[in-house]
Amino acid sequence: MSKRIFIKGDKKVLKAWAFYDWANSVYPLVISTAIFPIFYGELFVENDYINFLGINYKSSALIQHITSLVFLCLAILIPILSGVADFLGNKKNFMKFFCYLGSLSCIGLYFFDLENIYLGLSFYFLALFSFWASLVFYNSYLPDIAFPKQQDRISALGYSYGYVGSVLLLVFNLAMIMLPEFFGLSNENNEGKMQAMRISFLLVGLWWASFSQYTFYYLPQNLNNVDKKDAFKKSVIFSGFLELKEVWQILKKDISVKKFLIAFFTFSCALQTIILIATYFGDEEILWKNGDEKTIGLIVSMLIIQLIAILGAMLTATVSNKIGNVKTLIFLNLIWFLLCLGAYFVQYPIEFYIIAGFVGMVMGGTQALSRSTYSKLIPKTENTCSYFSFYQMCMILSVVLGTFMSGIVDQLTGSLRNSIIIFAV
């Protein structure tokens, strides 16, 4: 079999790259956001606390601190992974490794229960870490395989694939959870619903590993001709950290960029954390009539957020064209402040749906506008990847701080409501 010749800008390669979003986007929507938080909450119906490493941990505080640990590890390792991606050139093997590790970890969540809490949380840790780590190599492929004029279109195509694929699988899993007997599962004593959730974790793992094969088939193996031993000695371990340091030395001299990054870190701390804990909040704090209403309500709420986020991004772009990026971001943050205050008093499903809609609107607008504002503020240079690595690091560290603080408040006060209100402050 002859070796495939790689040509930059090849449409088959670009579509195959974008299709990885179809493969991996099921993880953040189906597991991280929608179904796993509900499944996790069901495990703690009888007792909201568990002994973990000798600490009587509240369940929601525990999962937040595990999430903090994941993002802390990412903050340490992503610069190293970026160095590997930039200098070794053998990106596909690293991308495959984290793809398969993440897939197997999702499958491992099938066995998550309170008797195996350490094993279950290890699978949760590895799945979340692997998803983000694989994105380092996935994203770094784009400038190598696409010309600048192609990059925006292909990136958007990837997001589109990811959205459609993840929603399709989520809808299927929702049907299986609500109609377990139709799929041959027992519907006694909530067993069918729990079994359907476990199967959904299996499906995510299989979906992620299977559909990524199309991507791996077409993506080129080696893109850089470098001495790998020399790259390892000189570049891989420290290059990412040195790049971040160099970028900071440049950016801190620019008052506008420095102010923006401080603001971005601050509102990302609230925004990203609340996105991560929204389902846990809905599970614990909202007065649902019964378990079925809660399950449907929480999944529908996450779909509402996803759908309205697209509209929010478009509306925000229109507003920012008229009044400017900074004023629009200030306006969005004022709305976010009011939403945090409002969420503190939310008790009933209809109120939760309304808040979810506004969260989606603000989330989509803020994320899209933050990235575009930063791109306008940074120096005009070809080395934009380094500047956006710094931007991504700010977001990751904000999640570390946000989930850690939220978990502490939740643990000490016994209520996620109090965690929400600190983000308004």
Side-chain angles (χ1 to χ4, degrees):
M1 183 173 158
S2 60
K3 186 178 180 180
R4 188 179 300 107
I5 299 173
F6 166 68
I7 302 173
K8 186 170 183 175
D10 182 85
K11 290 183 179 179
K12 285 186 177 180
V13 174
L14 296 180
K15 287 182 179 179
W17 176 87
F19 199 72
Y20 187 68
D21 263 308
W22 174 284
N24 78 346
S25 290
V26 293
Y27 170 77
L29 180 58
V30 177
I31 291 187
S32 285
T33 306
I35 294 178
F36 179 78
I38 300 171
F39 172 83
Y40 183 78
E42 291 290 333
L43 295 177
F44 292 91
V45 169
E46 295 182 4
N47 185 4
D48 205 23
Y49 286 80
I50 187 170
N51 186 283
F52 185 81
L53 298 177
I55 301 172
N56 190 33
Y57 248 117
K58 186 170 183 282
S59 61
S60 53
L62 174 60
I63 202 69
Q64 288 180 84
H65 282 166
I66 296 295
T67 302
S68 296
L69 183 60
V70 172
F71 280 90
L72 180 61
C73 291
L74 284 166
I76 295 169
L77 293 177
I78 272 185
I80 298 174
L81 295 175
S82 297
V84 172
D86 288 338
F87 291 97
L88 286 187
N90 191 2
K91 301 176 183 181
K92 185 153 69 171
N93 284 347
F94 290 98
M95 187 173 160
K96 280 184 175 180
F97 173 78
F98 286 112
C99 168
Y100 296 146
L101 179 60
S103 301
L104 290 172
S105 299
C106 290
I107 292 171
L109 288 174
Y110 179 88
F111 305 100
F112 197 122
D113 57 38
L114 296 184
E115 285 70 33
N116 299 307
I117 188 68
Y118 292 99
L119 179 65
L121 288 174
S122 296
F123 284 130
Y124 171 83
F125 179 101
L126 290 172
L128 182 57
F129 182 91
S130 298
F131 170 75
W132 281 83
S134 72
L135 289 182
V136 173
F137 300 98
Y138 172 57
N139 291 332
S140 69
Y141 256 111
L142 186 56
D144 295 327
I145 63 174
F147 294 107
K149 64 180 181 180
Q150 297 173 310
Q151 290 175 15
D152 287 343
R153 182 177 60 83
I154 295 303
S155 179
L157 180 64
Y159 279 114
S160 300
Y161 282 157
Y163 173 74
V164 174
S166 58
V167 169
L168 282 175
L169 186 58
L170 180 58
V171 169
F172 175 81
N173 287 331
L174 176 59
M176 184 168 53
I177 291 166
M178 300 317 303
L179 300 169
E181 65 280 359
F182 180 80
F183 292 87
L185 304 174
S186 171
N187 197 26
E188 296 180 6
N189 299 322
N190 214 33
E191 289 182 9
K193 185 168 74 171
M194 293 296 284
Q195 185 67 9
M197 291 184 191
R198 293 181 189 277
I199 292 173
S200 73
F201 304 152
L202 287 175
L203 292 176
V204 168
L206 293 172
W207 180 293
W208 188 357
S210 300
F211 283 114
S212 64
Q213 298 309 305
Y214 175 61
T215 300
F216 295 144
Y217 181 79
Y218 280 103
L219 281 184
Q221 180 70 27
N222 294 300
L223 295 171
N224 299 325
N225 295 316
V226 297
D227 184 334
K228 293 185 179 181
K229 291 183 179 179
D230 185 61
F232 185 82
K233 290 177 182 177
K234 296 182 179 180
S235 305
V236 173
I237 301 300
F238 299 110
S239 65
F241 295 103
L242 291 173
E243 274 192 2
L244 291 173
K245 183 179 178 181
E246 289 172 5
V247 169
W248 173 240
Q249 293 299 326
I250 296 171
L251 294 183
K252 73 177 184 179
K253 297 175 183 177
D254 189 318
I255 300 300
S256 296
V257 176
K258 189 164 71 170
K259 285 182 177 180
F260 172 80
L261 287 173
I262 293 170
F264 173 70
F265 178 86
T266 304
F267 66 69
S268 287
C269 189
L271 182 68
Q272 299 298 333
T273 303
I274 288 179
I275 291 169
L276 286 169
I277 69 171
T279 309
Y280 297 101
F281 176 86
D283 180 71
E284 289 188 12
E285 304 291 343
I286 302 303
L287 302 175
W288 307 98
K289 291 179 181 178
N290 53 55
D292 286 346
E293 184 193 42
K294 180 174 73 173
T295 301
I296 295 175
L298 290 173
I299 294 177
V300 167
S301 298
M302 296 308 108
L303 282 173
I304 289 172
I305 289 175
Q306 293 289 319
L307 287 168
I308 297 184
I310 299 172
L311 177 62
M314 293 188 294
L315 286 176
T316 298
T318 302
V319 173
S320 64
N321 285 334
K322 294 182 178 179
I323 66 173
N325 289 36
V326 174
K327 289 182 179 179
T328 306
L329 279 172
I330 291 172
F331 177 69
L332 288 173
N333 274 277
L334 287 173
I335 296 176
W336 188 246
F337 167 74
L338 294 174
L339 283 175
C340 290
L341 292 180
Y344 182 78
F345 298 100
V346 166
Q347 294 185 14
Y348 300 103
I350 186 63
E351 299 169 341
F352 188 65
Y353 294 142
I354 293 170
I355 287 289
F358 280 107
V359 165
M361 184 74 71
V362 176
M363 179 187 78
T366 304
Q367 289 179 330
L369 193 60
S370 296
R371 183 168 57 185
S372 62
T373 302
Y374 181 70
S375 67
K376 293 176 182 178
L377 290 173
I378 60 176
K380 300 299 180 284
T381 173
E382 294 181 359
N383 192 24
T384 56
C385 290
S386 297
Y387 289 99
F388 274 94
S389 293
F390 194 90
Y391 177 85
Q392 185 180 26
M393 189 60 63
C394 282
M395 187 187 72
I396 288 172
L397 289 173
S398 74
V399 174
V400 174
L401 178 62
T403 51
F404 180 76
M405 287 194 309
S406 179
I408 289 291
V409 173
D410 188 19
Q411 176 72 11
L412 293 177
T413 67
S415 174
L416 268 173
R417 287 188 188 278
N418 298 320
S419 296
I420 294 292
I421 202 65
I422 67 168
F423 293 119
V425 178

